[in-house]
Amino acid sequence: MPSIKNSLKKISLLYAINKYWKATLCNRRYVSLQAYYKKLAARKKIYYREADIPCLVADIFARRNFHPMPVPKGELRILYVGTVAGQDFGGIIQGLRKFGKVTPFTHKSGKYGQYYGSIGKDKRRENGTRLLEMVQEAQKTDPFHLVIGQMWAYSMSPDALQRVRHLGIPVVNISMDDRHAFYGKRINGCWSGTAGLIGAIDLVCTAAKECCLWYLAEGCPAIYLPEASDPELFRPLSEPKQYDVCFVGANYGIRSKIVKAIEKKGVHVTRYGNGWPNGRIDIEKIPGLFARSRIILGVGTIGYCSDFYALKLRDFDGPMSGSLYLTHDNPDLYELFDVGREIVTYRTPDECVDKVLYYLHHLDEALAIGEAGRKKAVREHTWEKRFEKMLKVIGLR
């Protein structure tokens, strides 16, 4: 199958048609879901207010005769159910460690994270069985206060999560892709996405604010929790800048077009990720790359879309690095940063090129924006602050 896909990519017309069709379907699904949940919420007379969520969570706990007590900072015992070590150890797990001991979910072999490469009951069952093994083993000596992670119904058994909850352990899911992966695929009568876990989790932390209403309409408490960064990992360096522009991420969608447009003007883009000549970069090297770059390039689009956006980890790691962060003009960013003063955005590849050239010729301005972005990120956008909010909602802080 991969060889067929690679062959089709070489036929430019077919590849373009395929990209357009995928982008159109992605947009249509989102628009349809938005309309559906607005109508459903209106019919049920449900109005989302984040201030109400702690009470809703407390009600869920009370029905299970579970009443969590706040735990002193540094003393929590947390099981983190992750997927990709490179992402999770890029700030998420470090943020949780501010609150106590974090045990990463591992395969029985000791390999990190859930089996998630293929969709099917077997992977979900294996992950669920392993989750229960880890939880039950901990119950003998130091029971977990919390199970949290990035999980989908195709990667984690809802039944296993229910059994964890029945042990009096809150289950929280972090969902970064709800705009395009809320439902996922229909498999054996169940949705494979995050929606397939509704009913088996106590709280969802979604990076798409409007999706809080989607969850609430389905009876699941949710809070808006954008991605964040770690100021100890991503930070400025005293040494001189080495790279004009850098980009980290796989080569798909509009990304190649943007990079080619910049390089056509004689500016080299140092890029890493699947599909680029340099290949992937070790997670440990990304903070240094960002700090040594004059401009960190972001691409905020979803999949093959050109005008449909989602927040990315780079939107926080970039500014946290102290370098100028330049990314798509995603409306979500305006609530998080002072656009133009703390980060810079573009709407089209041509505008991106113009701003790259401008700031490379006005490095003092680029430096000032990078410094302001770093200050905002440290003040408001750390994983520690995100998890402090989450823990207060579920009553553990």
Side-chain angles (χ1 to χ4, degrees):
M1 183 65 75
S3 60
I4 295 175
K5 288 183 178 180
N6 291 334
S7 298
L8 289 174
K9 285 182 179 180
K10 295 177 182 178
I11 305 174
S12 57
L13 178 60
L14 289 178
Y15 186 48
I17 292 172
N18 183 54
K19 288 197 298 183
Y20 175 79
W21 179 241
K22 285 183 176 179
T24 300
L25 285 179
C26 188
N27 269 294
R28 284 180 180 175
R29 280 194 295 266
Y30 174 76
V31 171
S32 176
L33 281 173
Q34 269 286 74
Y36 170 75
Y37 278 110
K38 283 183 178 179
K39 289 181 181 178
L40 181 62
R43 189 167 68 247
K44 291 185 174 182
K45 296 183 179 180
I46 293 173
Y47 306 95
Y48 184 84
R49 288 200 327 141
E50 189 163 281
D52 296 334
I53 300 304
C55 291
L56 292 176
V57 173
D59 287 343
I60 290 172
F61 290 159
R63 288 197 292 272
R64 300 206 307 270
N65 197 29
F66 171 55
H67 305 281
M69 298 294 292
V71 178
K73 193 170 184 178
E75 296 183 15
L76 278 170
R77 294 184 296 276
I78 302 165
L79 175 60
Y80 184 77
V81 186
T83 51
V84 180
Q87 172 183 281
D88 298 338
F89 283 93
I92 296 174
I93 288 176
Q94 288 88 337
L96 284 170
R97 283 175 175 165
K98 301 290 185 181
F99 300 92
K101 179 183 177 182
V102 179
T103 300
F105 177 90
T106 59
H107 302 171
K108 202 155 188 176
S109 64
K111 186 177 179 182
Y112 179 84
Q114 303 164 83
Y115 291 110
Y116 75 103
S118 59
I119 296 175
K121 280 188 173 181
D122 290 340
K123 299 298 183 185
R124 181 170 65 179
R125 187 183 300 113
E126 286 180 52
N127 288 327
T129 299
R130 178 59 179 157
L131 175 69
L132 291 172
E133 287 176 354
M134 294 186 72
V135 169
Q136 289 164 358
E137 184 63 28
Q139 289 288 104
K140 298 174 184 177
T141 52
D142 295 304
F144 293 117
H145 293 107
L146 172 68
V147 170
I148 181 172
Q150 293 184 73
M151 299 172 281
W152 300 264
Y154 72 78
S155 69
M156 180 54 67
S157 163
D159 291 339
L161 295 178
Q162 288 285 28
R163 291 177 64 181
V164 170
R165 296 171 77 215
H166 290 153
L167 292 172
I169 304 171
V171 175
V172 176
N173 200 37
I174 299 172
S175 188
M176 300 181 186
D177 302 318
D178 278 329
R179 282 185 180 148
H180 62 285
F182 182 69
Y183 276 117
K185 297 180 180 180
R186 194 78 170 172
I187 301 173
N188 299 319
C190 300
W191 291 110
S192 66
T194 50
L197 296 179
I198 291 174
I201 46 182
D202 294 301
L203 178 71
V204 171
C205 301
T206 177
K209 182 177 282 189
E210 70 277 14
C211 294
C212 291
L213 181 64
W214 299 9
Y215 284 105
L216 191 59
E218 297 286 1
C220 182
I223 57 171
Y224 175 51
L225 206 78
E227 294 91 336
S229 187
D230 187 320
E232 296 172 17
L233 283 177
F234 291 89
R235 62 188 189 279
L237 299 176
S238 58
E239 59 194 73
K241 303 286 188 182
Q242 291 180 243
Y243 313 104
D244 282 336
V245 183
C246 78
F247 176 77
V248 175
N251 180 8
Y252 65 84
I254 200 172
R255 296 174 176 189
S256 181
K257 181 178 180 179
I258 292 171
V259 168
K260 287 178 180 178
I262 295 171
E263 294 199 323
K264 191 174 181 180
K265 294 295 183 178
V267 178
H268 178 66
V269 180
T270 302
R271 66 266 195 193
Y272 291 91
N274 291 335
W276 299 114
N278 288 336
R280 301 183 69 171
I281 183 173
D282 292 339
I283 184 67
E284 296 84 5
K285 296 180 180 179
I286 295 177
L289 173 66
F290 281 7
R292 294 184 183 94
S293 298
R294 297 176 180 86
I295 298 174
I296 300 168
L297 177 65
V299 178
T301 51
I302 294 172
Y304 292 93
C305 302
S306 59
D307 57 356
F308 184 27
Y309 309 107
L311 290 172
K312 312 284 186 176
L313 285 167
R314 283 187 302 274
D315 294 335
F316 304 93
D317 292 337
M320 190 67 82
S321 302
S323 299
L324 173 67
Y325 183 60
L326 172 64
T327 190
H328 267 107
D329 197 56
N330 177 359
D332 294 341
L333 292 170
Y334 283 79
E335 290 187 26
L336 302 165
F337 293 97
D338 185 345
V339 176
R341 296 186 63 184
E342 296 169 342
I343 63 170
V344 179
T345 63
Y346 62 88
R347 292 181 176 84
T348 66
D350 287 343
E351 185 180 0
C352 178
V353 172
D354 290 342
K355 290 190 173 180
V356 165
L357 296 175
Y358 176 84
Y359 285 107
L360 288 178
H361 286 91
H362 298 81
L363 291 176
D364 287 345
E365 288 185 44
L367 180 62
I369 294 171
E371 289 177 347
R374 162 76 179 180
K375 289 178 181 177
K376 171 61 74 66
V378 170
R379 189 168 65 248
E380 298 183 13
H381 303 311
T382 66
W383 282 113
E384 182 178 2
K385 290 182 183 296
R386 298 287 194 259
F387 292 136
E388 178 80 27
K389 173 182 175 179
M390 176 273 295
L391 290 168
K392 286 181 178 178
V393 170
I394 62 174
L396 289 176
R397 285 288 295 155

